[in-house]
Amino acid sequence: MSETYDGENIFAKILRGEIPCFKVFEDDDTLCFMDINPRTDGHCLVIPKTPCRNMLDATQAQLAACMKTVNKVANAAKTAFDADGITLFQFNEAAGGQEVFHLHFHIHPRHDGVPVRAPGIPGDMAAIKRHAEAIMAALQ
Ligand code: AMP
């Protein structure tokens, strides 16, 4: 198994504009966009704009930049969904549950007593777009 960065991963293609995404936020160093298989309403992903597979090979600067954006977007998502809390997921290598090998942090708005849905179930695109717009409105 190779643990080098593969520039053909799907998030690298999103960063290059080769495939679309529902963008929520970006700054010089990071991008946040909606997960298309949302496990919660408002499920979005924060990634660095520079390459690294995951938390294990990330630089301190990449991690710091991602955390700054996670903090900003998580607060906006909590407001947008009137959430009771936020859960972060972050997986490293296949054995750690990772499927896309470009560092990413999952942001999940949570409500008391409401479980996270199963992974891998495609969401309704119109709903995902509305959820992106709700988070963006709360960012302003
Ligand atoms: P993991 O690597 O296990 O953290 O999971 C990768 C995540 O990326 C999953 O939640 C997928 O639903 C999500 N995903 C895969 N392809 C796309 C895409 N084109 N746009 C947005 N999210 C995606």
Side-chain angles (χ1 to χ4, degrees):
M1 181 190 65
S2 166
E3 293 191 359
T4 55
Y5 183 81
D6 175 5
E8 292 307 308
N9 75 76
I10 201 145
F11 294 169
K13 290 180 179 176
I14 286 175
L15 283 168
R16 291 195 295 266
E18 293 169 9
I19 62 169
C21 71
F22 292 105
K23 184 166 79 175
V24 172
F25 174 81
E26 72 177 322
D27 61 15
D28 288 346
D29 303 311
T30 65
L31 174 68
C32 177
F33 56 95
M34 302 305 287
D35 197 303
I36 56 170
N37 305 306
R39 300 186 63 185
T40 53
D41 289 352
H43 179 183
C44 57
L45 303 169
V46 173
I47 68 172
K49 288 185 173 177
T50 49
C52 61
R53 278 173 72 84
N54 54 44
M55 183 271 300
L56 299 169
D57 65 334
T59 64
Q60 300 280 313
Q62 285 171 316
L63 293 169
C66 285
M67 277 300 114
K68 185 175 164 199
T69 298
V70 166
N71 173 260
K72 185 187 286 271
V73 175
N75 275 293
K78 185 171 181 293
T79 300
F81 289 89
D82 195 22
D84 300 309
I86 295 287
T87 299
L88 298 183
F89 288 161
Q90 197 282 312
F91 306 113
N92 301 281
E93 299 302 333
Q98 186 175 13
E99 293 181 353
V100 177
F101 295 96
H102 181 110
L103 173 65
H104 53 281
F105 294 84
H106 298 255
I107 297 176
H108 291 286
R110 302 297 303 278
H111 295 91
D112 288 335
V114 179
V116 172
R117 296 189 287 267
I121 301 171
D124 176 79
M125 290 295 159
I128 293 172
K129 182 169 181 283
R130 276 199 314 278
H131 295 161
E133 290 165 352
I135 300 171
M136 284 190 281
L139 278 166
Q140 286 161 9

PDB file of all heavy atoms in Angstrom, residues 19-46:
ATOM      1  N   ILE A  19     -14.206  19.094 -10.890  1.00  0.00           N
ATOM      2  CA  ILE A  19     -15.553  18.620 -10.579  1.00  0.00           C
ATOM      3  C   ILE A  19     -16.192  19.635  -9.627  1.00  0.00           C
ATOM      4  O   ILE A  19     -15.482  20.328  -8.885  1.00  0.00           O
ATOM      5  CB  ILE A  19     -15.579  17.188  -9.991  1.00  0.00           C
ATOM      6  CG1 ILE A  19     -14.832  17.123  -8.681  1.00  0.00           C
ATOM      7  CG2 ILE A  19     -15.037  16.167 -10.964  1.00  0.00           C
ATOM      8  CD1 ILE A  19     -15.071  15.806  -7.966  1.00  0.00           C
ATOM      9  N   PRO A  20     -17.524  19.741  -9.663  1.00  0.00           N
ATOM     10  CA  PRO A  20     -18.195  20.795  -8.899  1.00  0.00           C
ATOM     11  C   PRO A  20     -18.328  20.441  -7.418  1.00  0.00           C
ATOM     12  O   PRO A  20     -18.182  19.281  -7.013  1.00  0.00           O
ATOM     13  CB  PRO A  20     -19.579  20.868  -9.552  1.00  0.00           C
ATOM     14  CG  PRO A  20     -19.815  19.493 -10.082  1.00  0.00           C
ATOM     15  CD  PRO A  20     -18.459  18.946 -10.474  1.00  0.00           C
ATOM     16  N   CYS A  21     -18.601  21.478  -6.632  1.00  0.00           N
ATOM     17  CA  CYS A  21     -18.938  21.259  -5.223  1.00  0.00           C
ATOM     18  C   CYS A  21     -19.864  22.382  -4.793  1.00  0.00           C
ATOM     19  O   CYS A  21     -19.988  23.398  -5.482  1.00  0.00           O
ATOM     20  CB  CYS A  21     -17.687  21.233  -4.339  1.00  0.00           C
ATOM     21  SG  CYS A  21     -16.889  22.846  -4.146  1.00  0.00           S
ATOM     22  N   PHE A  22     -20.548  22.165  -3.661  1.00  0.00           N
ATOM     23  CA  PHE A  22     -21.330  23.232  -3.041  1.00  0.00           C
ATOM     24  C   PHE A  22     -20.408  23.930  -2.051  1.00  0.00           C
ATOM     25  O   PHE A  22     -20.239  23.479  -0.916  1.00  0.00           O
ATOM     26  CB  PHE A  22     -22.554  22.665  -2.320  1.00  0.00           C
ATOM     27  CG  PHE A  22     -23.581  22.076  -3.238  1.00  0.00           C
ATOM     28  CD1 PHE A  22     -23.723  20.697  -3.350  1.00  0.00           C
ATOM     29  CD2 PHE A  22     -24.414  22.882  -3.996  1.00  0.00           C
ATOM     30  CE1 PHE A  22     -24.679  20.140  -4.191  1.00  0.00           C
ATOM     31  CE2 PHE A  22     -25.379  22.340  -4.846  1.00  0.00           C
ATOM     32  CZ  PHE A  22     -25.502  20.964  -4.942  1.00  0.00           C
ATOM     33  N   LYS A  23     -19.786  25.023  -2.528  1.00  0.00           N
ATOM     34  CA  LYS A  23     -18.820  25.729  -1.673  1.00  0.00           C
ATOM     35  C   LYS A  23     -19.523  26.500  -0.566  1.00  0.00           C
ATOM     36  O   LYS A  23     -20.535  27.157  -0.799  1.00  0.00           O
ATOM     37  CB  LYS A  23     -17.983  26.690  -2.518  1.00  0.00           C
ATOM     38  CG  LYS A  23     -16.891  27.389  -1.731  1.00  0.00           C
ATOM     39  CD  LYS A  23     -15.864  28.057  -2.631  1.00  0.00           C
ATOM     40  CE  LYS A  23     -16.376  29.370  -3.168  1.00  0.00           C
ATOM     41  NZ  LYS A  23     -15.328  30.083  -3.943  1.00  0.00           N
ATOM     42  N   VAL A  24     -18.954  26.419   0.628  1.00  0.00           N
ATOM     43  CA  VAL A  24     -19.495  27.131   1.794  1.00  0.00           C
ATOM     44  C   VAL A  24     -18.602  28.309   2.161  1.00  0.00           C
ATOM     45  O   VAL A  24     -19.078  29.395   2.499  1.00  0.00           O
ATOM     46  CB  VAL A  24     -19.603  26.158   2.999  1.00  0.00           C
ATOM     47  CG1 VAL A  24     -19.971  26.904   4.270  1.00  0.00           C
ATOM     48  CG2 VAL A  24     -20.612  25.049   2.708  1.00  0.00           C
ATOM     49  N   PHE A  25     -17.284  28.090   2.074  1.00  0.00           N
ATOM     50  CA  PHE A  25     -16.327  29.106   2.529  1.00  0.00           C
ATOM     51  C   PHE A  25     -14.964  28.768   1.940  1.00  0.00           C
ATOM     52  O   PHE A  25     -14.633  27.595   1.751  1.00  0.00           O
ATOM     53  CB  PHE A  25     -16.228  29.070   4.063  1.00  0.00           C
ATOM     54  CG  PHE A  25     -15.167  29.965   4.635  1.00  0.00           C
ATOM     55  CD1 PHE A  25     -15.379  31.317   4.814  1.00  0.00           C
ATOM     56  CD2 PHE A  25     -13.919  29.447   4.974  1.00  0.00           C
ATOM     57  CE1 PHE A  25     -14.387  32.151   5.319  1.00  0.00           C
ATOM     58  CE2 PHE A  25     -12.920  30.269   5.487  1.00  0.00           C
ATOM     59  CZ  PHE A  25     -13.156  31.620   5.663  1.00  0.00           C
ATOM     60  N   GLU A  26     -14.183  29.815   1.658  1.00  0.00           N
ATOM     61  CA  GLU A  26     -12.771  29.569   1.375  1.00  0.00           C
ATOM     62  C   GLU A  26     -11.949  30.747   1.832  1.00  0.00           C
ATOM     63  O   GLU A  26     -12.436  31.878   1.909  1.00  0.00           O
ATOM     64  CB  GLU A  26     -12.498  29.274  -0.101  1.00  0.00           C
ATOM     65  CG  GLU A  26     -12.600  30.401  -1.038  1.00  0.00           C
ATOM     66  CD  GLU A  26     -12.222  29.993  -2.472  1.00  0.00           C
ATOM     67  OE1 GLU A  26     -11.282  29.192  -2.684  1.00  0.00           O
ATOM     68  OE2 GLU A  26     -12.873  30.507  -3.399  1.00  0.00           O
ATOM     69  N   ASP A  27     -10.702  30.495   2.166  1.00  0.00           N
ATOM     70  CA  ASP A  27      -9.713  31.548   2.383  1.00  0.00           C
ATOM     71  C   ASP A  27      -8.467  31.145   1.607  1.00  0.00           C
ATOM     72  O   ASP A  27      -8.532  30.239   0.764  1.00  0.00           O
ATOM     73  CB  ASP A  27      -9.469  31.810   3.889  1.00  0.00           C
ATOM     74  CG  ASP A  27      -8.926  30.596   4.627  1.00  0.00           C
ATOM     75  OD1 ASP A  27      -8.464  29.624   3.979  1.00  0.00           O
ATOM     76  OD2 ASP A  27      -8.960  30.609   5.868  1.00  0.00           O
ATOM     77  N   ASP A  28      -7.356  31.804   1.860  1.00  0.00           N
ATOM     78  CA  ASP A  28      -6.155  31.526   1.060  1.00  0.00           C
ATOM     79  C   ASP A  28      -5.694  30.079   1.209  1.00  0.00           C
ATOM     80  O   ASP A  28      -5.094  29.513   0.292  1.00  0.00           O
ATOM     81  CB  ASP A  28      -4.997  32.441   1.491  1.00  0.00           C
ATOM     82  CG  ASP A  28      -5.214  33.874   1.047  1.00  0.00           C
ATOM     83  OD1 ASP A  28      -6.105  34.111   0.200  1.00  0.00           O
ATOM     84  OD2 ASP A  28      -4.499  34.759   1.556  1.00  0.00           O
ATOM     85  N   ASP A  29      -5.953  29.481   2.359  1.00  0.00           N
ATOM     86  CA  ASP A  29      -5.343  28.190   2.689  1.00  0.00           C
ATOM     87  C   ASP A  29      -6.306  27.021   2.749  1.00  0.00           C
ATOM     88  O   ASP A  29      -5.850  25.864   2.779  1.00  0.00           O
ATOM     89  CB  ASP A  29      -4.639  28.299   4.055  1.00  0.00           C
ATOM     90  CG  ASP A  29      -3.597  29.403   4.050  1.00  0.00           C
ATOM     91  OD1 ASP A  29      -2.792  29.437   3.109  1.00  0.00           O
ATOM     92  OD2 ASP A  29      -3.604  30.234   4.970  1.00  0.00           O
ATOM     93  N   THR A  30      -7.609  27.277   2.812  1.00  0.00           N
ATOM     94  CA  THR A  30      -8.581  26.195   3.023  1.00  0.00           C
ATOM     95  C   THR A  30      -9.835  26.389   2.175  1.00  0.00           C
ATOM     96  O   THR A  30     -10.150  27.501   1.730  1.00  0.00           O
ATOM     97  CB  THR A  30      -9.018  26.116   4.505  1.00  0.00           C
ATOM     98  OG1 THR A  30      -9.721  27.310   4.848  1.00  0.00           O
ATOM     99  CG2 THR A  30      -7.830  25.897   5.429  1.00  0.00           C
ATOM    100  N   LEU A  31     -10.554  25.289   1.999  1.00  0.00           N
ATOM    101  CA  LEU A  31     -11.859  25.295   1.316  1.00  0.00           C
ATOM    102  C   LEU A  31     -12.828  24.481   2.164  1.00  0.00           C
ATOM    103  O   LEU A  31     -12.443  23.429   2.711  1.00  0.00           O
ATOM    104  CB  LEU A  31     -11.720  24.648  -0.071  1.00  0.00           C
ATOM    105  CG  LEU A  31     -12.997  24.437  -0.873  1.00  0.00           C
ATOM    106  CD1 LEU A  31     -13.601  25.776  -1.309  1.00  0.00           C
ATOM    107  CD2 LEU A  31     -12.727  23.569  -2.109  1.00  0.00           C
ATOM    108  N   CYS A  32     -14.052  24.966   2.283  1.00  0.00           N
ATOM    109  CA  CYS A  32     -15.119  24.200   2.937  1.00  0.00           C
ATOM    110  C   CYS A  32     -16.251  24.010   1.946  1.00  0.00           C
ATOM    111  O   CYS A  32     -16.685  24.970   1.298  1.00  0.00           O
ATOM    112  CB  CYS A  32     -15.618  24.932   4.190  1.00  0.00           C
ATOM    113  SG  CYS A  32     -16.998  24.081   4.998  1.00  0.00           S
ATOM    114  N   PHE A  33     -16.721  22.776   1.802  1.00  0.00           N
ATOM    115  CA  PHE A  33     -17.813  22.452   0.877  1.00  0.00           C
ATOM    116  C   PHE A  33     -18.667  21.349   1.492  1.00  0.00           C
ATOM    117  O   PHE A  33     -18.256  20.664   2.433  1.00  0.00           O
ATOM    118  CB  PHE A  33     -17.271  22.035  -0.505  1.00  0.00           C
ATOM    119  CG  PHE A  33     -16.307  20.882  -0.476  1.00  0.00           C
ATOM    120  CD1 PHE A  33     -16.744  19.585  -0.700  1.00  0.00           C
ATOM    121  CD2 PHE A  33     -14.960  21.087  -0.205  1.00  0.00           C
ATOM    122  CE1 PHE A  33     -15.867  18.507  -0.671  1.00  0.00           C
ATOM    123  CE2 PHE A  33     -14.069  20.019  -0.167  1.00  0.00           C
ATOM    124  CZ  PHE A  33     -14.516  18.735  -0.397  1.00  0.00           C
ATOM    125  N   MET A  34     -19.872  21.186   0.922  1.00  0.00           N
ATOM    126  CA  MET A  34     -20.827  20.224   1.481  1.00  0.00           C
ATOM    127  C   MET A  34     -20.442  18.793   1.093  1.00  0.00           C
ATOM    128  O   MET A  34     -20.001  18.525  -0.031  1.00  0.00           O
ATOM    129  CB  MET A  34     -22.247  20.502   0.967  1.00  0.00           C
ATOM    130  CG  MET A  34     -22.771  21.890   1.258  1.00  0.00           C
ATOM    131  SD  MET A  34     -22.709  22.346   3.005  1.00  0.00           S
ATOM    132  CE  MET A  34     -24.054  21.332   3.662  1.00  0.00           C
ATOM    133  N   ASP A  35     -20.642  17.865   2.026  1.00  0.00           N
ATOM    134  CA  ASP A  35     -20.520  16.439   1.729  1.00  0.00           C
ATOM    135  C   ASP A  35     -21.768  16.008   0.950  1.00  0.00           C
ATOM    136  O   ASP A  35     -22.892  16.352   1.330  1.00  0.00           O
ATOM    137  CB  ASP A  35     -20.387  15.639   3.039  1.00  0.00           C
ATOM    138  CG  ASP A  35     -19.848  14.228   2.810  1.00  0.00           C
ATOM    139  OD1 ASP A  35     -20.464  13.474   2.031  1.00  0.00           O
ATOM    140  OD2 ASP A  35     -18.836  13.888   3.425  1.00  0.00           O
ATOM    141  N   ILE A  36     -21.569  15.283  -0.163  1.00  0.00           N
ATOM    142  CA  ILE A  36     -22.716  14.904  -0.992  1.00  0.00           C
ATOM    143  C   ILE A  36     -23.423  13.640  -0.486  1.00  0.00           C
ATOM    144  O   ILE A  36     -24.457  13.263  -1.025  1.00  0.00           O
ATOM    145  CB  ILE A  36     -22.329  14.745  -2.482  1.00  0.00           C
ATOM    146  CG1 ILE A  36     -21.190  13.748  -2.662  1.00  0.00           C
ATOM    147  CG2 ILE A  36     -21.985  16.088  -3.100  1.00  0.00           C
ATOM    148  CD1 ILE A  36     -20.944  13.371  -4.119  1.00  0.00           C
ATOM    149  N   ASN A  37     -22.865  13.020   0.526  1.00  0.00           N
ATOM    150  CA  ASN A  37     -23.537  11.899   1.207  1.00  0.00           C
ATOM    151  C   ASN A  37     -23.717  12.289   2.676  1.00  0.00           C
ATOM    152  O   ASN A  37     -23.076  11.697   3.563  1.00  0.00           O
ATOM    153  CB  ASN A  37     -22.706  10.627   1.102  1.00  0.00           C
ATOM    154  CG  ASN A  37     -22.374  10.260  -0.333  1.00  0.00           C
ATOM    155  OD1 ASN A  37     -23.248  10.151  -1.168  1.00  0.00           O
ATOM    156  ND2 ASN A  37     -21.100  10.092  -0.627  1.00  0.00           N
ATOM    157  N   PRO A  38     -24.572  13.282   2.924  1.00  0.00           N
ATOM    158  CA  PRO A  38     -24.581  13.896   4.261  1.00  0.00           C
ATOM    159  C   PRO A  38     -25.108  12.962   5.348  1.00  0.00           C
ATOM    160  O   PRO A  38     -26.178  12.377   5.209  1.00  0.00           O
ATOM    161  CB  PRO A  38     -25.490  15.113   4.084  1.00  0.00           C
ATOM    162  CG  PRO A  38     -26.364  14.778   2.931  1.00  0.00           C
ATOM    163  CD  PRO A  38     -25.552  13.907   2.021  1.00  0.00           C
ATOM    164  N   ARG A  39     -24.346  12.870   6.426  1.00  0.00           N
ATOM    165  CA  ARG A  39     -24.743  12.024   7.556  1.00  0.00           C
ATOM    166  C   ARG A  39     -25.518  12.826   8.590  1.00  0.00           C
ATOM    167  O   ARG A  39     -26.063  12.255   9.555  1.00  0.00           O
ATOM    168  CB  ARG A  39     -23.512  11.357   8.159  1.00  0.00           C
ATOM    169  CG  ARG A  39     -22.779  10.479   7.141  1.00  0.00           C
ATOM    170  CD  ARG A  39     -21.659   9.713   7.767  1.00  0.00           C
ATOM    171  NE  ARG A  39     -22.158   8.789   8.779  1.00  0.00           N
ATOM    172  CZ  ARG A  39     -21.387   8.045   9.561  1.00  0.00           C
ATOM    173  NH1 ARG A  39     -20.062   8.138   9.437  1.00  0.00           N
ATOM    174  NH2 ARG A  39     -21.907   7.242  10.456  1.00  0.00           N
ATOM    175  N   THR A  40     -25.512  14.151   8.416  1.00  0.00           N
ATOM    176  CA  THR A  40     -26.369  15.056   9.189  1.00  0.00           C
ATOM    177  C   THR A  40     -26.756  16.181   8.244  1.00  0.00           C
ATOM    178  O   THR A  40     -26.063  16.427   7.244  1.00  0.00           O
ATOM    179  CB  THR A  40     -25.611  15.681  10.391  1.00  0.00           C
ATOM    180  OG1 THR A  40     -24.409  16.293   9.914  1.00  0.00           O
ATOM    181  CG2 THR A  40     -25.281  14.655  11.461  1.00  0.00           C
ATOM    182  N   ASP A  41     -27.837  16.890   8.540  1.00  0.00           N
ATOM    183  CA  ASP A  41     -28.153  18.089   7.764  1.00  0.00           C
ATOM    184  C   ASP A  41     -27.082  19.130   8.092  1.00  0.00           C
ATOM    185  O   ASP A  41     -26.829  19.429   9.262  1.00  0.00           O
ATOM    186  CB  ASP A  41     -29.537  18.621   8.137  1.00  0.00           C
ATOM    187  CG  ASP A  41     -30.648  17.716   7.623  1.00  0.00           C
ATOM    188  OD1 ASP A  41     -30.347  16.769   6.861  1.00  0.00           O
ATOM    189  OD2 ASP A  41     -31.815  17.965   7.985  1.00  0.00           O
ATOM    190  N   GLY A  42     -26.431  19.641   7.049  1.00  0.00           N
ATOM    191  CA  GLY A  42     -25.359  20.613   7.248  1.00  0.00           C
ATOM    192  C   GLY A  42     -23.970  20.000   7.239  1.00  0.00           C
ATOM    193  O   GLY A  42     -22.985  20.719   7.417  1.00  0.00           O
ATOM    194  N   HIS A  43     -23.868  18.694   7.014  1.00  0.00           N
ATOM    195  CA  HIS A  43     -22.570  17.990   6.982  1.00  0.00           C
ATOM    196  C   HIS A  43     -21.680  18.613   5.912  1.00  0.00           C
ATOM    197  O   HIS A  43     -21.994  18.573   4.718  1.00  0.00           O
ATOM    198  CB  HIS A  43     -22.839  16.508   6.678  1.00  0.00           C
ATOM    199  CG  HIS A  43     -21.619  15.648   6.573  1.00  0.00           C
ATOM    200  ND1 HIS A  43     -21.706  14.312   6.244  1.00  0.00           N
ATOM    201  CD2 HIS A  43     -20.308  15.893   6.763  1.00  0.00           C
ATOM    202  CE1 HIS A  43     -20.493  13.771   6.234  1.00  0.00           C
ATOM    203  NE2 HIS A  43     -19.622  14.719   6.540  1.00  0.00           N
ATOM    204  N   CYS A  44     -20.568  19.184   6.347  1.00  0.00           N
ATOM    205  CA  CYS A  44     -19.633  19.786   5.403  1.00  0.00           C
ATOM    206  C   CYS A  44     -18.205  19.388   5.754  1.00  0.00           C
ATOM    207  O   CYS A  44     -17.954  18.805   6.817  1.00  0.00           O
ATOM    208  CB  CYS A  44     -19.802  21.301   5.337  1.00  0.00           C
ATOM    209  SG  CYS A  44     -19.617  22.163   6.893  1.00  0.00           S
ATOM    210  N   LEU A  45     -17.303  19.672   4.826  1.00  0.00           N
ATOM    211  CA  LEU A  45     -15.903  19.217   4.913  1.00  0.00           C
ATOM    212  C   LEU A  45     -14.970  20.408   4.791  1.00  0.00           C
ATOM    213  O   LEU A  45     -15.190  21.277   3.941  1.00  0.00           O
ATOM    214  CB  LEU A  45     -15.614  18.240   3.763  1.00  0.00           C
ATOM    215  CG  LEU A  45     -16.516  17.011   3.670  1.00  0.00           C
ATOM    216  CD1 LEU A  45     -16.288  16.294   2.325  1.00  0.00           C
ATOM    217  CD2 LEU A  45     -16.257  16.051   4.826  1.00  0.00           C
ATOM    218  N   VAL A  46     -13.940  20.436   5.606  1.00  0.00           N
ATOM    219  CA  VAL A  46     -12.893  21.468   5.512  1.00  0.00           C
ATOM    220  C   VAL A  46     -11.609  20.790   5.065  1.00  0.00           C
ATOM    221  O   VAL A  46     -11.190  19.782   5.667  1.00  0.00           O
ATOM    222  CB  VAL A  46     -12.690  22.166   6.867  1.00  0.00           C
ATOM    223  CG1 VAL A  46     -11.484  23.108   6.812  1.00  0.00           C
ATOM    224  CG2 VAL A  46     -13.957  22.932   7.272  1.00  0.00           C
TER     225      VAL A  46
END
